[in-house]
């Protein structure tokens, strides 16, 4: 399944390669911007992992290895578009402007969500695999009714592709020609299960069963991911309907901080993918082809370090929610069972000051 | 006062129409709800009048219907989903429990899950398997949802509009065996809020708490009991979740005896919950244990023996006898 | 979607046509046998419809128009194979040897099932659309574990193809290379919804997303359906894995006796499909090419009439189940709630004689 | 007597191994149960020893896992499904309600649905959303299913084997917060049948009915109450459906006071059912209303405030106070 051709514009060595269908439209400075994005989320993700190790987060789902897939796709989203993530899309959250501290709230256990989804046009993480794809299609049907110049993108994994909800999302999208892009990050693993447990042929072929385009892109090539996603979103916005992108990438870290990948995968595989690192190739390209100086990269690293520090500080000063807040938004309208629960908690003396 | 004699099915149809006229964000999605007007004709004529964008014949996929409705609600629409029959809601269960019920809380109150899921429910119509179930307890158990059930055309007309106007998700359970019963519908005087239970018949001896198709059966039983000199107070819940306990408790304080009647299987059910709660609330007033009359702990049976499964007048009267036997 | 080429061996005019991939292997007498099958199920189905009109059945789901799809597919099943129907597969039930009276029990309301599924190697009707496909795949996984020379076939409709369970069934079948054939009867309608409400491209393409073969066959051509299905089952039995067949056919009658198709479809469409009648073309073929006599067909009609009479008689003398039977097979092992229910029913005097 | 000190997770692992050794038709199917041994390591080592045909890493699709298990059961296999966390069982809900629970009845008893669905359930482990839910009431409400829950390693070892040997489908709820607690496991003396509730601590003042993770909490509360001179009788249901009412009622006849404790949200729950049924069965013996201590009618909250959501010792003692206040 690895031998299938995929869209690539920048090879692992950092050399621009040409593709018959796609051309890179990004300027060197834009490419440097994408590098910065990737470097920052990698750094913040490392910080989150160490915060988890230190007991400050209940869990963390690292993004390492998938930075190009997420930053490329996230960069292609227009301000008015809307995105529906799974739980690992920190790179998309970053591109949508969600403050990094907000990514961590869920994993610290202080919220079920983390940010205002309407403000950032980026929905809260969806943990039940596959659910968000249907919600995304429904949202896209709303766009059609509003005749708005917007598109939706939804994210799921190679594992998620097996869920019934993903199928129904594709059926609805095809039937209604909804402006939605299904973005699969095929990172080769669903926890301990390799992709052959989900499919015996490449996943992008799924699209052909529904009558819309499917494409595999080198998910570690931010230039390619950006162009492929941008075209898909443009198509959606201009009434050409849904499409599916399989970003071929790799989860370099553990599934989550609770996971022990040494139980199920070999070091050799990691080694192969280290050579395809999404950041290194951009750096090589910028250095070799655009004479970018090391200091630029050092500055970015320093900036990322500072953000990591801020993140840590922010997290450590994050207050626990008031126990009574569990009753706050269960219903939008008054509800006697909620009132009774609130009273009980107060009577028990667990209500805090309220 | 403009009233009209309508069937409950037609009253819901008119209620949907009213809601769609009032608010352009209201839309319908379901299987066969367009040209066909739904298998019960509840949406008859609405696609013709409001177009295919507002009355959507969906692919045959209930998780899809509800999951798409969640997304539409996120965009500010007020979708009303039709599930064709009770037994076909389960493919959508995950979306209902994990998304419909929780998006409001998850988003910190930002997303309003202002959607309605209409389900023709309960049995008694001689149907084959999966067409006569009572899934309401699953939804009542699920925090984040409201569960309403109208039992006459007048209530139905107003309650469906109230459900659509609500910013909370409402599972709207329509007792399908009552679709063709007519009642006067007053389009100017709103019915009382859905969350208020309603005493359908006052009585001093036994409080009969019920909802759905059983309301009518209980009223028949009350009439029969009157012949034996027993006055049953029949209360129609209207809102199955939350339950209007103040109204129930006030009645129990008066009668001291309670039976709870519904078609659903009994274990971990709405009826059991009401029995437990009233037993607790009215401990000193109860003169007899609370008796439940319900379906049995079996799959809904073949229609030729559904009469024996359903709470019928005989079974209700038998329960009345049992609670009256107790001295206090 | 109608313009896609499909496998055909006998055209609507009853002329044998050649196909590059399939050849008919049936003798004239076998073909006559298939004609007889089709004539019988059509006749029995008419009888059931009139029994429903007379109040003897609660409901009936007519098979008219789909006789070739079902008899062709059913004929291809080997004795040891196992089939998982939906609710309209009376023709499959016939080929599996299920007595016609047993098809009616469910629709009369005296049972949830109707026959012993193990005896006939044909599962009971599944009414929740899509469920049976997953059960079929599980059964096929059992065959693999038993290393048995058997295959499974499961039936669903154009509408059913949209369900998440169908997708998951295809995913499992592909991943495990299960010996299962997915047989879609695309009869153009899911109650009132035309196939464009389920897909914008022909349904057989779905298979390509899972990496197994998909084919469209003229579902009104019993010769073609038989050959296509036989090859698919042979493939499954010999370890070549799953496949999908889209039988392109038409539901000539109402969805069920509760349905009023005049509300949603045009007479002209029915007219077109009347010209493609699955029985007529076989009759023409046998008369023209094999000189079959009208008396043969008259005999079959008489035989079918007699069976219809027997069916009617059987149905009218079918006793209602004892009320207490509702408790009979809920659990295989003793259960206090069941005992309590049984006692209550007896105490209420509803228990019959028991 | 050969006993061994095992964690509950390990005891289930050993129970699975025992069942697989005894009957070649027993097989496991689920996500990550092979090489990884499951996210809780309950199936650790089993794929290595029994092979990939008997320990199946399934595609990430719960309806598929359960639906395939139904087909395997039809073929005579005894599949044990693992659902990774409670909140992920809902995609399989339709297969569970419509097929698992009903195939035995539908086939007139021909098909044995001899399958087990293992679900690590309940909270208290500091997890994120969907990882701490208590779905057992949905299954208890569903006729055709049994629901078992072990609360210690010894029971777990035997009850999983009993569930697998049962010809009925069993939803096997494993209180995940207790996975790592150790107990002596006697591999020769079987635990009592799952359908029998067990008095974990005898007492004369209040009957405490509970199951799952709350059993331990109730025992702690009983210890604390003893300090105040109150004797709690703590009963572990073991089988959540059916409930062993004779054992419960006998205790209530003795104590006259009952509290029911579980983590699940209260409405239309197992706890409510028990309160309703005991209120009815023991009407004359009850000296106080039955009080429920449970989760609230809210989605399981963020883990930083789960302590306040869960039934804890304080809440249980508060309930004890309330039932002791009543005079009879
Ligand atoms: C319905 C459901 N089942 C199981 C899980 C547990 N689970 C969480 S992540 C995961 C694997 C997901 O793999 P994939 O879709 O490839 O995404 P990735 O983690 O690789 O980004 C599983 C099984 C879940 N969250 N939801
Ligand atoms: C899950 C589910 N949803 C809805 C229904 C109601 N229903 C019964 S048949 C049917 C249409 C099925 O169409 P198709 O799959 O094309 O099969 P056909 O009836 O044409 O043979 C519908 C919507 C059902 N039985 N199950
Ligand atoms: Mg993955
Ligand atoms: Mg069809």
């Amino acid at each position: 399944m690895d031998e299938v051709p995929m869209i690539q514009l920048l090879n692992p060595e950092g050399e621009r390669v040409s593709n018959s269908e796609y051309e890179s439209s990004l300027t060197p400075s834009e490419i440097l911007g994408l590098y910065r994005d990737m470097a920052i989320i990698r750094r913040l993700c490392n910080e989150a992992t160490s915060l988890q190790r230190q007991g400050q987060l209940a869990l963390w789902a690292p993004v390492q290895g998938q930075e190009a897939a997420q930053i490329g796709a996230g960069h292609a989203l227009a301000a008015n578009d809307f995105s529906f993530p799974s739980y690992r899309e920190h790179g998309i959250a970053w591109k949508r402007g969600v403050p990094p501290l907000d990514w961590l709230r869920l994993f610290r256990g202080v919220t079920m969500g983390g940010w205002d989804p309407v403000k950032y046009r980026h929905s809260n993480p969806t943990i039940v695999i596959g659910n968000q794809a249907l919600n995304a299609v429904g949202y896209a049907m709303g766009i059609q009714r509003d005749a708005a110049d917007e598109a939706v993108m939804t994210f799921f994994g190679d594992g998620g592709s097996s869920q019934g909800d993903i199928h129904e999302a594709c059926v609805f999208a095809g039937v209604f020609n909804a402006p939605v892009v299904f973005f699969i990050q095929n990172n080769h693993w669903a926890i301990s299960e390799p992709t052959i447990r989900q499919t015996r042929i490449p996943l992008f072929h799924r699209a052909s069963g529904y009558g819309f385009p499917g494409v595999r892109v080198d998910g570690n090539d931010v230039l390619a991911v950006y162009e492929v996603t941008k075209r898909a979103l443009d198509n959606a916005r201009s009434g050409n309907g849904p499409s599916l992108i399989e970003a071929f990438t790799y989860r370099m870290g553990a599934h989550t901080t609770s996971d022990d990948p040494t139980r199920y995968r070999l070091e050799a595989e990691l080694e192969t993918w280290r050579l395809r690192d999404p950041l290194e190739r951009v750096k090589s390209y910028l250095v070799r082809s655009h004479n970018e100086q090391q200091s630029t990269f050092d500055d970015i690293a320093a900036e990322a370090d500072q953000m990591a520090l801020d993140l840590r500080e922010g997290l450590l000063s994050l207050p626990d929610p008031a126990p009574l807040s569990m009753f706050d938004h269960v219903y939008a309208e008054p509800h006697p069972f909620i009132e009774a629960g609130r009273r009980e908690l107060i009577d028990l003396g667990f209500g805090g000051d309220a | 006062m403009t009233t009209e004699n309508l069937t409950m099915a037609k009253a819901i149809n008119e209620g949907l129409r009213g809601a769609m006229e009032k608010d352009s964000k209201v839309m319908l999605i379901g299987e066969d709800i367009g040209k066909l007007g739904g298998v019960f004709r509840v949406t008859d004529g609405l696609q013709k009048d409001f177009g295919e964008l507002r009355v959507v014949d969906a692919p045959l996929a209930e998780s899809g219907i509800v999951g798409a409705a969640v997304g539409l609600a996120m965009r500010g629409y007020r979708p009303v989903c039709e599930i064709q029959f009770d037994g076909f809601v389960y493919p959508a269960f995950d979306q209902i429990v994990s998304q419909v019920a929780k998006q409001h809380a998850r988003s910190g109150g930002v997303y309003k899950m202002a959607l309605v899921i209409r389900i023709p429910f309960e049995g008694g119509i001689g149907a084959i398997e999966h067409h006569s179930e009572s899934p309401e307890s699953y939804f009542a158990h699920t925090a984040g949802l409201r569960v309403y059930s109208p039992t006459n055309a007048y209530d139905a007309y107003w309650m469906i509009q109230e459900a659509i106007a609500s910013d909370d998700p409402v599972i709207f359970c329509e007792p399908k065996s009552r679709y063709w019963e007519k009642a006067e519908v007053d389009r100017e005087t709103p019915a009382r809020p859905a969350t208020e239970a309603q005493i359908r018949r006052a009585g001093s001896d036994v409080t009969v708490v019920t909802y759905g198709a059983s309301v009518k059966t209980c009223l028949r039983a009350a009439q029969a009991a009157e012949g034996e000199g027993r006055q049953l107070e029949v209360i129609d819940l209207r809102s199955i979740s939350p339950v209007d306990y103040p109204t129930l408790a006030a009645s129990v304080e008066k009668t001291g005896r309670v039976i709870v009647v519904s078609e659903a299987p009994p274990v971990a059910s709405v009826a059991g919950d009401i029995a437990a709660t009233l037993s607790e609330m009215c401990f000193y007033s109860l003169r007899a244990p609370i008796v439940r009359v319900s379906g049995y702990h079996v799959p809904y049976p073949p229609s030729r023996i559904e009469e024996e499964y359903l709470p019928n007048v005989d079974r209700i009267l038998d329960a009345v006898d049992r609670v009256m036997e107790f001295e206090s």
Side-chain angles (χ1 to χ4, degrees), chain A, chain B:
Chain A
M1 273 192 286
D2 284 28
E3 307 314 318
V4 169
M6 57 187 180
I7 310 294
Q8 192 182 66
L9 295 174
L10 191 65
N11 73 15
E13 287 69 43
E15 296 151 357
R16 285 279 283 105
V17 289
S18 71
N19 181 279
S20 58
E21 289 176 78
Y22 290 88
E23 189 41 74
S24 179
S25 63
L26 295 166
T27 64
S29 86
E30 283 170 325
I31 295 172
L32 181 64
L34 296 183
Y35 176 88
R36 174 178 167 273
D37 288 331
M38 294 194 291
I40 288 171
I41 64 163
R42 177 171 291 186
R43 181 65 188 86
L44 294 182
C45 190
N46 282 335
E47 194 66 20
T49 299
S50 79
L51 283 163
Q52 196 282 333
R53 298 271 175 253
Q54 293 154 18
Q56 297 297 334
L57 295 177
L59 189 79
W60 180 248
V63 74
Q64 267 84 348
Q66 301 175 222
E67 292 90 348
Q70 296 193 10
I71 294 301
H75 194 63
L77 281 162
N80 265 345
D81 292 341
F82 210 100
S83 43
F84 285 79
S86 179
Y87 43 81
R88 201 189 295 283
E89 276 68 64
H90 318 307
I92 308 298
W94 167 256
K95 294 298 290 183
R96 301 308 280 165
V98 180
L101 183 57
D102 288 356
W103 318 346
L104 269 54
R105 292 178 195 270
L106 172 77
F107 295 97
R108 183 165 173 93
V110 301
T111 175
M112 299 160 71
W115 56 84
D116 179 337
V118 171
K119 177 171 173 192
Y120 300 108
R121 303 189 73 73
H122 183 58
S123 217
N124 294 120
T126 299
I127 292 160
V128 181
I129 304 277
N131 281 183
Q132 73 278 11
L134 273 169
N135 308 154
V137 171
Y139 193 94
M141 290 168 69
I143 292 176
Q144 292 179 298
R145 278 156 185 76
D146 297 339
D149 188 26
E150 302 170 27
V152 179
M153 182 150 54
T154 182
F155 298 86
F156 53 93
D158 43 296
S161 70
S162 294
Q163 284 285 357
D165 271 13
I166 297 297
H167 169 68
E168 298 189 14
C170 290
V171 168
F172 273 64
V175 165
F176 296 118
N177 204 41
V180 61
V181 175
F182 298 105
F183 193 98
I184 306 184
Q185 287 169 80
N186 178 351
N187 65 3
H188 284 67
W189 293 94
I191 308 188
S192 72
E193 300 193 12
T195 310
I196 52 158
R197 293 282 96 183
Q198 320 294 342
T199 180
R200 60 192 202 185
I201 57 165
L203 279 170
F204 73 92
H205 288 302
R206 288 277 166 82
S208 69
Y210 305 103
F212 52 77
V215 60
R216 179 181 275 190
V217 62
D218 180 346
N220 285 15
D221 170 359
V222 72
L223 303 191
V225 173
Y226 170 71
E227 297 301 337
V228 166
T229 311
K230 186 167 181 314
R231 185 180 300 176
L233 286 166
D234 286 346
N235 277 335
R237 267 184 239 104
S238 49
N240 291 328
S243 51
L244 182 148
I245 297 168
E246 179 190 7
F248 201 67
T249 180
Y250 195 81
R251 190 196 80 209
M252 295 302 293
H255 169 68
T256 64
T257 47
S258 299
D259 181 39
D260 173 10
T262 64
R263 291 180 73 104
Y264 53 81
R265 69 181 185 186
L266 299 173
E267 180 57 27
E269 189 178 282
L270 259 85
E271 207 39 65
T272 310
W273 281 93
R274 263 187 216 114
L275 301 176
R276 301 177 188 163
D277 185 75
L279 277 76
E280 280 311 312
R281 69 175 78 178
V282 177
K283 188 174 170 186
S284 301
Y285 168 69
L286 290 173
V287 169
R288 282 204 233 134
S289 306
H290 296 284
N291 209 17
E292 198 61 67
Q293 301 300 305
Q294 181 57 35
S295 62
T296 306
F297 301 104
D298 293 345
D299 288 351
I300 290 172
E303 183 191 5
D305 283 341
Q306 184 56 49
M307 294 183 89
L309 262 181
D310 294 347
L311 181 64
R312 167 172 294 265
E313 231 166 66
L315 186 75
L316 296 183
S317 59
L318 209 58
D320 280 353
L324 282 178
S325 69
M326 73 175 83
F327 300 106
D328 278 355
H329 297 293
V330 183
Y331 293 92
E333 300 182 6
H335 193 293
F337 298 173
I338 295 296
E339 282 323 304
R342 207 190 299 268
R343 266 197 315 277
E344 187 180 326
L345 214 57
I346 292 172
D347 289 350
L348 285 163
F350 297 152
D353 299 332
Chain B
M1 202 170 86
T2 43
T3 81
E4 206 181 339
N5 201 253
L6 300 177
T7 63
M8 191 168 79
K10 181 65 179 165
I12 299 171
N13 177 280
E14 292 287 324
L16 291 170
R17 178 182 294 277
M20 295 180 80
E21 280 167 356
K22 226 177 297 167
D23 183 350
S24 66
K25 294 291 187 188
V26 176
M27 53 174 289
L28 315 183
I29 182 165
E31 295 159 11
D32 305 296
I33 64 170
K35 269 194 190 156
L36 187 65
V39 294
F40 290 106
R41 308 292 186 265
V42 170
T43 56
D44 194 25
L46 297 176
Q47 190 181 63
K48 193 162 147 279
D49 295 343
F50 294 98
E52 293 197 3
L53 285 176
R54 293 188 67 193
V55 180
V56 182
D57 268 336
L60 208 175
E62 285 77 8
S63 191
I65 290 168
V66 173
V70 167
L72 282 156
M74 287 167 164
R75 177 103 191 157
Y77 283 85
R78 294 186 169 264
V80 181
C81 305
E82 176 172 305
I83 299 294
Q84 202 159 75
F85 281 89
D86 30 66
F88 309 140
V89 71
Y90 305 121
F93 201 72
D94 180 36
Q95 281 284 345
I96 296 175
V97 166
S98 304
Q99 301 306 325
V100 174
K102 300 199 177 94
Q103 274 293 350
H104 184 63
R106 189 177 297 129
S107 67
V110 170
Y111 284 140
K112 302 275 180 281
M113 283 292 107
L115 60 85
V116 176
I117 301 176
R118 293 182 40 243
I119 310 177
F121 87 133
E122 300 187 318
I125 61 158
I128 61 172
E129 214 194 339
H130 309 289
H131 291 70
S132 303
E133 299 184 10
S134 296
E136 67 277 12
S137 297
Y138 296 124
F139 302 117
H141 183 59
T142 308
L145 305 176
R146 292 174 185 270
V147 185
Y148 294 169
S149 183
T151 61
N152 62 61
Y154 172 55
D155 268 11
Y157 174 76
W158 286 104
M159 283 169 70
I160 187 66
Q161 296 186 70
E162 185 182 345
I164 294 169
S166 169
D167 277 346
D168 287 324
V170 178
I171 311 293
F172 198 80
C173 296
E174 303 169 2
K176 66 172 88 75
S177 64
R178 307 301 182 220
Y179 266 146
W180 312 120
E181 303 203 344
K182 288 190 162 190
E184 288 298 314
V185 175
D186 178 343
R187 294 174 192 249
E188 272 160 27
T189 321
R192 65 178 64 191
T195 44
E196 290 181 19
Q198 190 157 354
I199 298 174
R200 295 287 177 203
R201 179 189 173 115
S204 50
D205 293 325
V206 180
T207 299
V208 181
V209 179
T210 185
Y211 60 86
S214 298
V215 171
K216 185 180 173 190
T217 320
C218 290
L219 287 171
R220 274 206 249 113
Q223 207 161 4
E226 194 170 29
E228 302 169 29
R230 284 168 177 172
Q231 301 300 333
L232 309 192
E233 176 145 305
V234 179
I235 306 184
D236 177 358
L237 287 183
R238 304 173 77 248
S239 171
I240 298 173
S241 177
V243 167
D244 174 9
Y245 280 113
T247 298
L248 268 51
S251 173
V252 179
E253 297 303 335
K254 187 172 71 178
T255 62
R257 294 182 164 89
V258 186
I259 67 177
V260 189
V261 183
S262 87
E263 293 190 10
V267 183
S269 66
V270 167
D273 202 64
I274 291 170
T277 305
L278 290 177
S279 290
E280 188 180 348
M281 289 178 83
C282 309
F283 186 69
Y284 282 122
S285 316
L286 277 177
R287 295 193 244 171
I290 299 181
V291 169
R292 287 164 277 169
V293 182
S294 65
Y296 293 101
H297 188 64
V298 303
Y300 195 90
S303 61
R304 290 269 163 166
I305 52 174
E306 69 183 335
E307 274 309 313
E308 283 79 6
Y309 172 87
L310 293 171
N312 54 31
V313 171
D314 284 350
R315 283 180 64 200
I316 294 165
L317 292 178
D318 178 77
V320 169
D321 286 347
R322 278 151 65 202
V323 296
M324 292 300 290
E325 255 169 32
F326 279 75
E327 306 290 317
S328 79

